[in-house]
Amino acid sequence: SQQGEEDPQALSIQEGENATMNCSYKTSINNLQWYRQNSGRGLVHLILIRSNEREKHSGRLRVTLDTSKKSSSLLITASRAADTASYFCATDEGSETSGSRLTFGEGTQLTVNP
Amino acid sequence: DTEVTQTPKHLVMGMTNKKSLKCEQHMGHRAMYWYKQKAKKPPELMFVYSYEKLSINESVPSRFSPECPNSSLLNLHLHALQPEDSALYLCATGRQGSRTNEKLFFGSGTQLSVL
């Protein structure tokens, strides 16, 4: 079952602007991850934040995690047309025996206009 | 470029056909996954193999049969599928099969159409 809900479902911005996507979840997690998917292609891992972390940066990406509110946000700064894609959050409910077990949110379709 | 290779890229099959999807990796990863993704929806977990053993089956119908012949290969055997099984089937790998906090590496997927 899907436990991640993302908003907005779709976001359209101009090149150079920042894009913020939010994700909420329901159960306890080991970590939360963000992935990107270009149309009809496989997913590419962007960033992972552990349950004991509150904020993480990677290049133009900034992720926050609030476990008390069961929510996360992904900020992409200085967006580019090439950032146009679907972005999914994924919660890891795996165990030491099964390995990572990701459940994906509904996703946000980001369009960056040149 | 992804290091997880899926074949074929596209597949059209009838409801009485038997076909197989293949996934190959040479990264030495010990966890391998099958996900199903319908159009404009998130991927849904189907199966997880950890150290070549099936560790998770998300109550997938028996017309989908996974197989992990060795640590580099993962197959998904298809038989008597329904049109609603049409979707993008994604293979993914994780470095270790017995730890969490792992990012996954995805293949480009097989776009399956069932007529």
Side-chain angles (χ1 to χ4, degrees):
Chain A
S1 62
Q2 301 298 323
Q3 74 154 342
E5 296 183 2
E6 293 182 59
D7 78 273
Q9 289 188 334
L11 180 60
S12 182
I13 60 174
Q14 296 299 122
E15 230 173 4
E17 293 181 340
N18 296 341
T20 299
M21 290 160 264
N22 302 296
C23 169
S24 61
Y25 59 93
K26 296 174 183 171
T27 64
S28 297
I29 58 173
N30 299 305
N31 64 70
L32 187 142
Q33 304 180 32
W34 286 89
Y35 287 79
R36 165 201 167 119
Q37 184 179 34
N38 286 73
S39 180
R41 306 282 296 172
L43 284 81
V44 175
H45 179 267
L46 295 176
I47 195 165
L48 179 154
I49 185 165
R50 291 182 169 77
S51 57
N52 61 353
E53 297 176 311
R54 292 297 166 257
E55 186 172 316
K56 203 161 182 181
H57 297 254
S58 177
R60 293 184 296 114
L61 304 181
R62 173 177 169 255
V63 169
T64 62
L65 178 65
D66 187 335
T67 52
S68 65
K69 294 180 179 178
K70 291 187 166 55
S71 67
S72 174
S73 67
L74 172 68
L75 169 67
I76 303 174
T77 60
S79 64
R80 306 165 181 166
D83 294 330
T84 295
S86 293
Y87 291 82
F88 294 93
C89 68
T91 51
D92 188 353
E93 301 160 63
S95 70
E96 289 296 318
T97 54
S98 72
S100 284
R101 177 182 182 174
L102 298 187
T103 301
F104 287 86
E106 292 296 314
T108 294
Q109 174 61 49
L110 173 65
T111 301
V112 181
N113 302 299
Chain B
D1 288 340
T2 181
E3 296 183 69
V4 179
T5 303
Q6 289 189 243
T7 56
K9 293 193 186 306
H10 302 275
L11 178 63
V12 179
M13 61 186 290
M15 289 190 285
T16 58
N17 292 157
K18 286 185 182 180
K19 297 286 184 183
S20 297
L21 309 185
K22 295 185 185 302
C23 175
E24 188 169 5
Q25 59 98 2
H26 296 288
M27 297 180 285
H29 288 183
R30 304 313 302 270
M32 298 187 78
Y33 303 74
W34 281 115
Y35 278 85
K36 172 183 176 179
Q37 186 179 25
K38 303 281 276 184
K40 298 189 186 302
K41 301 295 283 184
E44 294 182 356
L45 182 63
M46 300 175 72
F47 302 104
V48 181
Y49 274 84
S50 174
Y51 295 96
E52 297 148 56
K53 288 184 170 36
L54 184 66
S55 60
I56 295 176
N57 176 344
E58 293 283 13
S59 302
V60 178
S62 60
R63 58 186 184 268
F64 295 92
S65 175
E67 177 196 23
C68 189
N70 59 58
S71 60
S72 299
L73 291 174
L74 184 67
N75 299 321
L76 186 62
H77 303 297
L78 314 173
H79 174 53
L81 294 194
Q82 304 297 311
E84 58 264 30
D85 296 322
S86 298
L88 181 67
Y89 288 83
L90 293 162
C91 173
T93 67
R95 195 169 51 145
Q96 298 193 44
S98 59
R99 288 182 59 184
T100 55
N101 293 323
E102 287 273 278
K103 68 178 184 180
L104 298 191
F105 296 77
F106 281 82
S108 296
T110 294
Q111 186 64 55
L112 174 68
S113 296
V114 182
L115 304 179

